Amino acid sequence: MANHSAGESLEDRNKWRVLALYEALNGRDADRVQQLLAPDIEWWFHGPPEHQHMMRMLTGADDDTAAEFRFFPERVAAFGSTVVAEGTGPGAATSWVHAWTVSPDGIITQVREYFNTSVTVTRVAADSPPKPSVSPKDSPRPTHCLPVWQSRGRKSFPGLVLAI
């Protein structure tokens, strides 16, 4: 799964790194996980506390539920340094979304984990470039959010927007 070519894009490289992480996590390959993750990875969680499977895997606090849980991404998309992956738990009773941040050197530095939450990813963009005669700091540029990805979570899930 982790095979890739030298001519790949940054986004492709980041997707391969995240997919390699899922492969290592599901195989319980602690050495490979440590190679892919920053030692001080930043982790955010939104969802029911009993679904903190990733935290239990990453900290070694595997309980019976986390030991059985596997993350199999069904959709993966990259937007610069951010890689978004979505999947479902056993029997599709739960759904999850992970938003990973990959550093320029290919190390995963952050994960935002959402369980049973509808997630919309938006890219913040300026409406227009600043006028050459006006300093950018003197004239704030209006911005807008462009939706670039939407999870397939159920409509009954609470929703949130992740701006990148």
Side-chain angles (χ1 to χ4, degrees), residues 24-89:
L25 287 168
N26 290 333
R28 301 304 194 251
D29 183 347
D31 291 335
R32 182 67 176 136
V33 169
Q34 287 180 347
Q35 291 172 355
L36 294 164
L37 295 178
D40 59 346
I41 187 167
E42 185 176 341
W43 175 75
W44 299 63
F45 178 81
H46 183 273
E50 65 270 16
H51 293 298
Q52 294 182 355
H53 306 296
M54 182 63 69
M55 182 272 305
R56 290 181 189 107
M57 287 180 181
L58 296 179
T59 62
D62 260 356
D63 62 8
D64 292 338
T65 306
E68 295 172 8
F69 198 91
R70 299 289 186 267
F71 289 101
F72 295 107
E74 297 164 6
R75 294 174 55 206
V76 180
F79 309 97
S81 64
T82 301
V83 178
V84 181
E86 177 179 30
T88 55

Side-chain angles (χ1 to χ4, degrees), residues 10 42 47 50 103 128 155:
L10 176 68
E42 185 176 341
E50 65 270 16
S103 69
S128 61
K155 300 275 187 224

Side-chain angles (χ1 to χ4, degrees), residues 3 5 7 19 21 25 30-31 35 39 41 49 60 72 74 78 87 105 112 114 126 130 133 137 143 149 151 154 162:
N3 295 334
S5 67
L19 289 170
L21 177 64
L25 287 168
D31 291 335
Q35 291 172 355
I41 187 167
F72 295 107
E74 297 164 6
D105 61 351
R112 295 180 204 126
Y114 307 97
S133 62
K137 65 181 180 183
T143 59
W149 188 88
S151 65
R154 290 177 255 171
L162 174 63

